Amino acid sequence: MHTAGVLVGFCPELSGRYRGRLQEFGFHAGETITCQHQPGFGAPRVYRVSNATYSLDRELAIQVLVSLSGG
Amino acid sequence: MSKVLLVGTPNSGKTALFNRLTGLNHRVANYPGITVDLSIGQLAKLPDRELVDFPGTYSLRPISEEERIAVAHFADALGDPEVEHVLCVVDATRLEKSLFFCLQVVRECRRSGKRITVLANMGDILARHSLKVDAPGLAENIGAPVLVVSARTGMGLAEVLDQLASSTLDEMAVAADEEPMLLAQDDESADSALYEEAHRLAERFGAPADQLLLIQSRLDRFFLGSLSGGLAFSLIMLVLFQSIFTWSAPAMDAVERVVTGLGRWILPFLDQGILRDFTADAIFSGIGAFLVFVPQIFVLTFVIGLLEDSGYLARAALICHKPLRFFGLSGKSFIPMLSGVACAIPAIYAARSIESPRARFLTYLVIPLMPCSARLPVYTLLIAIFIPRETALGGLVGWQGLTLFCVYGLGMVCGLLVAGVVNRISTGEAQMPFMMELPAYRMPALVPIARKSLQRAKHFVTKAGLVILSVTIVVWVLGYFPNQGADLGASWLGTIGKWIEPVFQPLGLDWRYGVAIVSAFLAREVFVGTLGTIMGIEGAEDNILPLVEQIQASALPLGSGLALLVFFAIALQCVSTVAILAREANSWRLAGRMVVAYLCIAWLAAWATFQITAML
Ligand SMILES: Nc1nc2c(ncn2[C@@H]2O[C@H](COP(=O)(O)OP(=O)(O)O)[C@@H](O)[C@H]2O)c(=O)[nH]1
């Protein structure tokens, strides 16, 4: 866990309102996103961006394009 | 009276601040037309101002129904000449998250000429970790005063009041060259400039909170882990349910003792006759039977409040997401479902935070099947009658607790099944993706939670009590006349009861239970009061026996007791729930269908239970 990456953009298929909400959460291009936890019971993963943590389900997370930097 | 609006992102401590600033002086207003509860209270220190608390939103661009309503109200309020000041609460430990919203609010306030002050809340947490936000720097950049405050400790609130008291409008002069208000419109280009700005400001003036997140991350590793998280979840739920019984038992016993004691003390002072009969049957047996359950409602609300305030509920929602998804629900359905264990009405409101219309609809279907506390009096009564107090496995499990657990489970399982089936057979809108903020773990603030639970209990006594009192009086009058309680079977009530008896006879229940069930359609707990009144009329004059003993003496078969339990677990018998459901879901048809469907299922399941028990 604790894979980190830099957000490069969003999938063009992602609808505007979800993209907007993600941006409000702090998901911006250039921001470092860290996957903090992969909870049990198949629960959505927990990501840290800036000082806050959010859980996003897979469907949504795969639309957030991140370039892995390791770490 | 001039008004001050309180707005902020979810989990920024808005409610806590509202309570701090208004003290106990507030009421919950229901805005005309739309069902959104805005708390309105007078500022404790500035009694000529009213503080209006808006529901928290992440943005003025709403994506859920709850946010849409909140934003629409906010837009209205900005046009209201009585509103002169807006307080925007941000979480100082997570500035980035709140600043975007904050900038939007500043922009709108400027356009409509309202003063705005930004409150950077949770200042005590920053201070504890020797962290700082640069409030003056931030203020200069966003063009509004920024005050670091703490709703917990009261830090900085004096300055907030100073700000509100001073009426200088100069720092917020309306910028004449701005375009007209674009609230709640898809204004992406303007917004993306704001994202950039929020990000830049948070980076420059915010506090680095790595340390805070490290603690959270450790706790999350435990509470979200497959093994530890599952264990913790089961344990917490077990404690929740046990607490309903064990923690409230002494208080319930005390209430019962006071009620019976009071009855025995007062009755001899009354002359023989109607007044005395009424006091004994309707007041002490009827109302008393229901008052006993008030402590339980308090405890349940309190424990759920603790879990919510500690930040654990969001983790529980996350853990439940996948299993709930199987039934078409979402992790966000967990909180409404759990609230439904206390009462369906706040649960239906809580479902507003589910953005996905489909998951919200399915959650509505589940909520009335959750074992709400109004069922608890009925369950407790029936369990006390039929299930021995003994324990097994060396005191580890009590049969009564176990039975309660099973009936609770029955409701929940039915709820999930209904959601699952409806999800499979209905077409319609697709699910929306799941995204949720995980709030920080916090020590729960005991006093506000206790206060809220007390309010809930009081609300239960006054609102439900009024219904119960009226029903009790009607039932008593019908049962007492025309023959002064001499023969209940020949009374008006008896006649009505005999008429509906065929419906309940297949469950082994006589007309008295039929009447009690029918009266329970006003509110489930009325069942206990009605039964208390009926048995009170039947029973010996001044002998106020606990209802349990009276029913035990009447030799009701076990199968009928279990059938009653099952019936109450499933039937949708609460008029308030039906009304709120119809309003929130905006569909009387849905509410009506649910009542009919759940009644049929309840009766069939109860009948099956009775038959099976008879065969054993
Ligand atoms: N330590 C600390 N905790 C706070 C403060 N204000 C609120 N909280 C806690 O933060 C959580 C969220 O607060 P609440 O008022 O419910 O937030 P809302 O969603 O914005 O209404 C609760 O657990 C509060 O007890 C504060 O100033 N300091």
Side-chain angles (χ1 to χ4, degrees):
Chain A
M1 258 324 92
H2 287 275
T3 331
V6 174
L7 198 152
V8 288
F10 299 95
C11 258
E13 292 91 66
L14 184 64
S15 95
R17 60 177 173 165
Y18 303 136
R19 187 175 60 234
R21 178 51 42 96
L22 285 172
Q23 286 175 321
E24 286 150 24
F25 279 171
F27 289 80
H28 304 285
E31 189 72 55
T32 304
I33 316 276
T34 322
C35 178
Q36 296 272 67
H37 299 283
Q38 177 161 17
F41 308 99
R45 291 184 188 183
V46 177
Y47 300 92
R48 169 178 173 184
V49 48
S50 173
N51 283 343
T53 44
Y54 301 96
S55 70
L56 309 180
D57 65 8
R58 226 184 101 74
E59 277 165 62
L60 193 62
I62 53 171
Q63 316 232 39
V64 180
L65 307 175
V66 168
S67 87
L68 285 186
S69 56
Chain B
M1 185 174 291
S2 68
K3 290 183 192 155
V4 178
L5 307 185
L6 187 65
V7 296
T9 48
N11 300 316
S12 56
K14 206 163 54 63
T15 315
L17 262 175
F18 178 81
N19 289 339
R20 263 276 176 179
L21 290 169
T22 57
L24 281 171
N25 282 325
H26 72 268
R27 60 179 196 276
V28 174
N30 209 326
Y31 250 53
I34 315 175
T35 54
V36 60
D37 291 330
L38 302 180
S39 305
I40 301 178
Q42 266 173 11
L43 285 171
K45 302 258 169 61
L46 293 171
D48 61 330
R49 312 267 157 118
E50 262 188 352
L51 189 63
V52 185
D53 182 21
F54 276 77
T57 55
Y58 284 104
S59 147
L60 292 180
R61 254 199 309 143
I63 67 169
S64 74
E65 184 57 15
E66 186 185 41
E67 293 181 359
R68 193 188 61 71
I69 296 171
V71 169
H73 277 313
F74 183 62
D76 279 353
L78 284 184
D80 178 351
E82 282 195 335
V83 171
E84 55 179 44
H85 207 134
V86 176
L87 296 177
C88 178
V89 188
V90 299
D91 178 346
T93 63
R94 296 178 161 195
L95 260 193
E96 165 104 31
K97 165 201 114 181
S98 325
L99 267 186
F100 172 73
F101 174 72
C102 175
L103 291 175
Q104 278 185 320
V105 173
V106 170
R107 185 180 65 181
E108 297 306 332
C109 286
R110 233 189 237 157
R111 283 173 179 166
S112 50
K114 308 288 181 198
R115 291 183 68 199
I116 172 157
T117 303
V118 177
L119 308 183
N121 191 30
M122 316 266 178
D124 57 310
I125 301 181
L126 289 185
R128 202 165 56 233
H129 293 87
S130 318
L131 297 169
K132 257 181 92 115
V133 292
D134 179 359
L138 192 59
E140 198 174 307
N141 275 271
I142 60 180
V146 178
L147 300 173
V148 179
V149 300
S150 162
R152 244 328 133 82
T153 63
M155 157 186 146
L157 295 185
E159 285 86 341
V160 177
L161 292 171
D162 286 347
Q163 277 282 338
L164 292 179
S166 72
S167 51
T168 46
L169 273 164
D170 20 302
E171 81 257 38
M172 266 291 88
V174 187
D177 57 333
E178 301 226 30
E179 69 268 45
M181 233 170 37
L182 273 169
L183 259 181
Q185 287 187 10
D186 265 341
D187 180 11
E188 277 198 43
S189 58
D191 280 348
S192 71
L194 277 192
Y195 296 136
E196 297 299 320
E197 177 77 355
H199 182 57
R200 193 178 62 77
L201 292 176
E203 197 127 277
R204 184 150 159 227
F205 300 109
D210 284 335
Q211 209 181 335
L212 303 177
L213 280 167
L214 196 67
I215 304 170
Q216 181 187 324
S217 184
R218 287 209 187 114
L219 286 169
D220 272 342
R221 204 172 307 149
F222 179 79
F223 282 115
L224 296 176
S226 290
L227 188 66
S228 53
L231 270 176
F233 181 83
S234 323
L235 205 69
I236 289 172
M237 291 302 133
L238 195 73
V239 170
L240 176 77
F241 288 112
Q242 277 290 301
S243 68
I244 302 172
F245 260 71
T246 44
W247 297 359
S248 41
M252 293 173 74
D253 286 346
V255 174
E256 174 143 28
R257 236 172 287 136
V258 169
V259 170
T260 22
L262 212 62
R264 285 190 183 133
W265 180 70
I266 286 181
L267 286 181
F269 290 103
L270 301 172
D271 290 331
Q272 286 280 357
I274 287 199
L275 183 65
R276 178 156 162 182
D277 289 343
F278 175 76
T279 314
D281 308 336
I283 303 294
F284 285 103
S285 300
I287 305 292
F290 132 85
L291 278 185
V292 173
F293 300 101
V294 175
Q296 244 166 3
I297 285 157
F298 175 83
V299 170
L300 189 66
T301 322
F302 186 76
V303 179
I304 292 184
L306 285 184
L307 288 180
E308 184 168 21
D309 214 36
S310 68
Y312 180 72
L313 269 194
R315 275 72 188 182
L318 197 59
I319 286 189
C320 293
H321 177 71
K322 186 89 182 283
L324 288 176
R325 192 65 182 235
F326 180 77
F327 299 98
L329 302 158
S330 137
K332 290 188 182 173
S333 310
F334 178 74
I335 294 174
M337 284 165 68
L338 191 67
S339 315
V341 174
C343 176
I345 293 164
I348 294 170
Y349 286 130
R352 272 193 204 140
S353 64
I354 304 173
E355 292 98 356
S356 165
R358 189 182 178 89
R360 188 160 0 110
F361 159 71
L362 293 170
T363 308
Y364 286 146
L365 294 185
V366 180
I367 289 172
L369 289 165
M370 296 310 287
C372 72
S373 53
R375 285 177 167 112
L376 202 55
V378 182
Y379 292 165
T380 325
L381 178 77
L382 294 169
I383 287 175
I385 295 169
F386 291 104
I387 312 295
R389 262 191 185 220
E390 283 140 37
T391 53
L393 298 180
L396 212 58
V397 255
W399 290 117
Q400 295 195 334
L402 197 67
T403 313
L404 185 78
F405 187 77
C406 292
V407 207
Y408 267 53
L410 177 71
M412 296 182 198
V413 169
C414 282
L416 291 178
L417 284 179
V418 167
V421 169
V422 174
N423 184 39
R424 294 281 135 81
I425 58 178
S426 79
T427 49
E429 269 184 90
Q431 291 282 7
M432 280 166 60
F434 177 83
M435 44 175 137
M436 187 177 71
E437 183 191 353
L438 289 182
Y441 287 98
R442 293 205 175 84
M443 264 323 269
L446 295 179
V447 179
I449 301 175
R451 205 186 281 160
K452 191 174 139 202
S453 315
L454 210 60
Q455 257 171 9
R456 175 69 56 76
K458 251 203 265 177
H459 185 81
F460 184 75
V461 174
T462 48
K463 279 278 157 57
L466 202 68
V467 177
I468 290 170
L469 182 66
S470 343
V471 176
T472 308
I473 292 174
V474 171
V475 169
W476 183 82
V477 168
L478 288 176
Y480 193 75
F481 295 103
N483 49 17
Q484 263 77 37
D487 178 9
L488 189 63
S491 67
W492 293 330
L493 191 67
T495 316
I496 300 174
K498 300 247 162 70
W499 189 67
I500 52 175
E501 195 167 29
V503 179
F504 297 103
Q505 210 154 31
L507 312 180
L509 297 168
D510 65 34
W511 65 272
R512 292 171 303 180
Y513 295 93
V515 169
I517 292 176
V518 171
S519 70
F521 275 87
L522 282 166
R524 295 179 180 95
E525 63 277 19
V526 173
F527 177 82
V528 177
T530 307
L531 217 51
T533 313
I534 295 179
M535 300 280 176
I537 299 178
E538 265 188 342
E541 277 282 296
D542 294 343
N543 194 5
I544 305 178
L545 266 185
L547 188 54
V548 174
E549 291 170 29
Q550 292 189 20
I551 298 181
Q552 272 170 342
S554 79
L556 182 73
L558 173 67
S560 305
L562 295 181
L564 269 177
L565 276 177
V566 170
F567 184 85
F568 271 88
I570 302 174
L572 205 180
Q573 287 168 295
C574 168
V575 272
S576 335
T577 304
V578 177
I580 303 282
L581 196 68
R583 208 163 51 158
E584 284 287 302
N586 205 2
S587 159
W588 277 100
R589 218 176 88 179
L590 172 70
R593 280 179 170 186
M594 280 170 68
V595 172
V596 174
Y598 288 175
L599 260 182
C600 296
I601 302 176
W603 192 91
L604 286 173
W607 180 76
T609 309
F610 181 68
Q611 296 299 330
I612 292 170
T613 321
M615 278 191 290
L616 296 179

